[in-house]
Amino acid sequence: MTDSEKITDTGRMVRLLERLAKQHTLLTVVIPGHQEHYTSCIVKVSRPYVLLDELIPNTGHPLLVSERALDVRGKLDGIDIRFITTLKRVESKKNAITCHVNLPGHIEYRQRRLDYRVNIPMVRMLRVIIDGQAGGVFEGVLHDISHGGAGMLFPAGAVSVEPGRLHECAIELPGDVWLYCTVELRYAKKNRSPGQQLIGARFDKLCPAQQQLVGHCIKELERESIRKRAAE
């Protein structure tokens, strides 16, 4: 998968696979060199193997036994996951078939970045400064960010939304980096915290350098989130 993180740490891979098993996540399985798509799920992880349920439709079973390789894809909490592995052995008990496949060498882990907003941890407190009417400026904090825009928290009533109007904006990013850009404010709604409003903003025509800053920020925050969830 393009634009993905490659996880090679065995402990992290096992934790991700165990979460797929716990959530009974349906997986799409493709036998390399063949076009058919099959469905399966992880029964459990028993190192150094991953135990998969029988392929559906079961016409894929003899093909798997013959080819021994499989390309597995699924979603975990909305995140695309992919790994390639090989069949070690097949176990049949009480008319149930379980495929023992080798723990993969790596797992590809990709967020759908174009439409996904990554939330900013509260401990970050990244600042946002935006121009207002009559030359005034307002300061808030960054709530979330995506390639297309950002969510910003301001004191309730401080900023008014006028669709179509562009604002100069400065957004603090991780690593003491600032993004200077133009945004359009699209909506405002009350935040759960009293006295705050959440403003949704759309980036207006980011240049390649600005897009790179946003992409680096999203990637860093996603990795931080992945590490946190993998440690749970």
Side-chain angles (χ1 to χ4, degrees):
M1 299 185 296
T2 59
D3 198 20
S4 64
E5 179 184 6
K6 184 179 291 186
I7 299 174
T8 57
D9 179 76
T10 301
R12 290 183 63 193
M13 289 195 296
V14 168
R15 286 191 289 270
L16 286 172
L17 294 170
E18 286 177 339
R19 287 172 60 195
L20 287 170
K22 184 177 181 179
Q23 296 182 20
H24 307 289
T25 302
L26 291 179
L27 304 173
T28 299
V29 177
V30 174
I31 311 299
H34 299 268
Q35 296 183 345
E36 294 82 3
H37 288 64
Y38 304 96
T39 301
S40 183
C41 63
I42 297 176
V43 178
K44 70 174 182 178
V45 181
S46 181
R47 295 168 66 173
Y49 305 117
V50 180
L51 278 58
L52 294 180
D53 202 0
E54 183 179 12
L55 301 186
I56 300 174
N58 59 15
T59 52
H61 178 66
L63 182 61
L64 175 60
V65 171
S66 172
E67 299 290 342
R68 314 297 291 184
L70 58 166
D71 185 332
V72 184
R73 304 184 186 219
K75 286 183 179 293
L76 181 62
D77 300 327
I79 298 172
D80 292 329
I81 288 180
R82 179 193 180 195
F83 60 91
I84 296 174
T85 185
T86 53
L87 179 68
K88 180 64 177 180
R89 69 175 188 271
V90 174
E91 186 178 75
S92 180
K93 290 183 178 179
K94 298 180 180 179
N95 295 323
I97 294 177
T98 303
C99 301
H100 293 240
V101 302
N102 293 300
L103 191 69
H106 69 268
I107 293 177
E108 294 180 65
Y109 194 99
R110 182 187 68 183
Q111 196 75 52
R112 290 191 178 278
R113 302 174 191 273
L114 293 179
D115 54 10
Y116 174 78
R117 289 183 177 268
V118 59
N119 289 323
I120 311 300
M122 293 183 62
V123 295
R124 287 282 190 175
M125 293 296 292
L126 300 175
R127 291 179 293 163
V128 175
I129 302 172
I130 190 169
D131 71 339
Q133 295 179 340
V137 296
F138 299 96
E139 183 168 337
V141 295
L142 191 62
H143 178 269
D144 58 69
I145 190 168
S146 73
H147 281 283
M152 311 167 180
L153 293 174
F154 290 97
V159 180
S160 60
V161 174
E162 300 176 32
R165 181 188 174 193
L166 299 179
H167 300 256
E168 296 301 315
C169 184
I171 302 175
E172 184 182 11
L173 303 178
D176 197 25
V177 175
W178 285 83
L179 169 68
Y180 298 95
C181 60
T182 304
V183 299
E184 177 194 4
L185 306 185
R186 305 296 295 271
Y187 66 85
K189 63 181 181 181
K190 292 182 179 179
N191 190 47
R192 287 176 294 181
S193 300
Q196 284 188 331
Q197 63 177 346
L198 176 63
I199 302 291
R202 176 188 64 83
F203 294 136
D204 182 64
K205 300 177 182 177
L206 294 183
C207 70
Q210 292 170 316
Q211 293 172 355
Q212 187 175 21
L213 284 177
V214 173
H216 181 76
C217 169
I218 292 173
K219 191 171 184 178
E220 179 177 337
L221 291 170
E222 286 180 344
R223 284 179 172 172
E224 181 178 310
S225 176
I226 291 169
R227 288 193 295 267
K228 182 179 178 181
R229 279 183 280 186
E232 293 177 352

